[in-house]
Amino acid sequence: MSFFRTAVSRSIRIPAARSYATAPAKKSSNLPFIFLTAGVAAGAAYWYLDQTKTPVKPKQEKSPLDPDNFIDFKLKKVVPYNHNSASFHFELPNDEASLIPITSCLVVKASDPEASKDAKGKPVIRPYTPVSRSDHPGELVLLIKRYETGVMSKYIHSLKEGDTLAIKGPIPKFPYKANEFDEIALIGGGSGITPLYQLLIHALPEKENKTKFKLIYGNVTEDDILLRKELDELKAKYPNNFDVVYLLDRPSPGWTGPTGFVTADLIKQHVAPADLKEKVKVFICGPPAQVASVAGKKAGMKQGEIGGILKELGYTEEQVFKF
């Protein structure tokens, strides 16, 4: 009986032993290697993207300009505009923007106090309005016409790239608010276009703007018209809110626009009437003789009494602002 049990036991165990001995070896898994390789690749890709992505520039809170002190800014480029005007591009530090508020200006003087003086030996200081947008990074652009009797304009036109100019500002002029007026008339002459242009490039692109702007811009000849390309582009882009009328003293043959000086008839034709009261505003900037003829003389830095053509047409001091 024991022999039978032993034999049966061997007959059961032997096949099991042989089966185990002759089974093929179990292959090792590649999954750990695959996961390791993928992890290394993902880490490398993350590191590369982290190194190459453009860092987010913090929002600029402060202007590089100072309203209380003159700061020297380097002239990096001069771009001739016409026979007597050029745009002067001044470098702003750290690619910052000027952040100049709307309807404000700057005052400039020579960096060298001995370089530009008046008849009394004092440094010449003059106001200018930039034509670059207040959020334009890296530079401040002044469009300056050279006058033979203009001490500062002649000095600036003598500057070369790398020279500096002392600039202070901004100096607020008028507290402009969007849609405060239904109609705004802009009357300008010569280089007096710059503060009017500053207002236009700020107000017209505003999505909520409903104000209609009309510019009457006088010059001696067609070649003297500054920012004409930019003004025409604004007219094409905002046809329902902006129109411009060019006026020439000495028109060339073929000129079809109005000629001569700003007259009462021209204003009545293109400017909203005074009886609109607080819904209409007239801004004017140009040679002193033009300003006096149209709106009355300025009293130094003050507005002075309303006069000229606008007074004759019934406009009040509250409706008119002289830059």
Side-chain angles (χ1 to χ4, degrees):
M1 188 66 180
S2 61
F3 173 79
F4 176 78
R5 288 177 178 172
T6 302
V8 171
S9 175
R10 286 179 179 176
S11 66
I12 294 174
R13 291 174 183 171
I14 288 173
R18 286 179 179 174
S19 173
Y20 176 80
T22 57
K26 186 178 181 181
K27 293 183 179 179
S28 60
S29 173
N30 290 329
L31 286 178
F33 177 75
I34 293 172
F35 288 140
L36 177 62
T37 303
V40 171
Y46 177 83
W47 178 88
Y48 176 78
L49 292 174
D50 186 62
Q51 296 298 314
T52 57
K53 69 180 180 181
T54 303
V56 178
K57 187 177 181 180
K59 182 180 179 181
Q60 183 183 340
E61 301 291 344
K62 187 176 181 298
S63 170
L65 298 159
D66 189 332
D68 300 315
N69 300 286
F70 282 96
I71 299 175
D72 289 339
F73 291 92
K74 185 173 71 173
L75 178 62
K76 68 175 187 178
K77 183 169 60 174
V78 179
V79 181
Y81 190 89
N82 61 13
H83 58 286
N84 60 6
S85 302
S87 59
F88 295 81
H89 299 241
F90 292 91
E91 182 178 330
L92 298 179
N94 305 315
D95 204 35
E96 293 178 326
S98 67
L99 301 185
I100 295 176
I102 188 65
T103 59
S104 65
C105 71
L106 309 172
V107 291
V108 308
K109 68 176 184 178
S111 295
D112 179 0
E114 302 297 321
S116 181
K117 294 183 177 182
D118 60 19
K120 297 180 180 180
K122 295 182 179 180
V124 176
I125 299 175
R126 292 289 185 271
Y128 288 100
T129 303
V131 295
S132 50
R133 288 182 57 89
S134 62
D135 57 358
H136 183 65
E139 66 178 11
L140 177 77
V141 183
L142 301 178
L143 177 58
I144 299 177
K145 185 174 182 177
R146 185 183 187 276
Y147 294 93
E148 287 303 320
T149 57
V151 177
M152 180 52 65
S153 70
K154 290 170 67 177
Y155 171 75
I156 294 176
H157 273 260
S158 73
L159 296 177
K160 296 177 175 56
E161 294 180 7
D163 292 341
T164 62
L165 184 69
I167 302 176
K168 181 172 73 172
I171 299 173
K173 304 291 284 184
F174 180 84
Y176 177 80
K177 298 177 183 178
N179 298 319
E180 182 178 1
F181 310 105
D182 291 349
E183 305 267 355
I184 288 181
L186 309 168
I187 302 175
S191 58
I193 187 62
T194 55
L196 309 180
Y197 179 73
Q198 183 196 55
L199 175 56
L200 288 170
I201 61 174
H202 171 86
L204 289 174
E206 292 290 331
K207 293 182 179 179
E208 303 302 320
N209 175 62
K210 297 178 182 178
T211 301
K212 295 183 182 299
F213 293 84
K214 189 64 168 282
L215 170 64
I216 299 175
Y217 183 24
N219 282 279
V220 178
T221 70
E222 197 167 356
D223 290 338
D224 291 312
I225 300 175
L226 301 177
L227 299 168
R228 185 175 187 177
K229 176 177 176 291
E230 290 82 356
L231 292 170
D232 289 343
E233 288 176 350
L234 288 174
K235 179 179 178 178
K237 190 172 184 179
Y238 306 101
N240 297 323
N241 294 90
F242 176 58
D243 191 18
V244 55
V245 176
Y246 298 110
L247 176 69
L248 298 182
D249 293 346
R250 297 202 299 264
S252 55
W255 175 258
T256 58
T259 61
F261 302 109
V262 177
T263 64
D265 287 339
L266 190 69
I267 291 177
K268 285 190 289 185
Q269 181 181 353
H270 295 288
V271 177
D275 57 17
L276 284 180
K277 297 182 179 180
E278 71 279 358
K279 294 182 179 180
V280 62
K281 191 76 175 182
V282 181
F283 292 95
I284 180 169
C285 187
Q290 182 194 45
V291 174
S293 172
V294 175
K297 293 182 180 180
K298 286 192 69 175
M301 298 298 291
K302 297 181 180 180
Q303 287 292 294
E305 295 182 359
I306 185 71
I309 298 170
L310 291 178
K311 182 177 181 180
E312 294 173 6
L313 294 176
Y315 294 89
T316 65
E317 291 183 3
E318 291 74 22
Q319 291 176 307
V320 179
F321 185 85
K322 310 166 194 175
F323 281 107

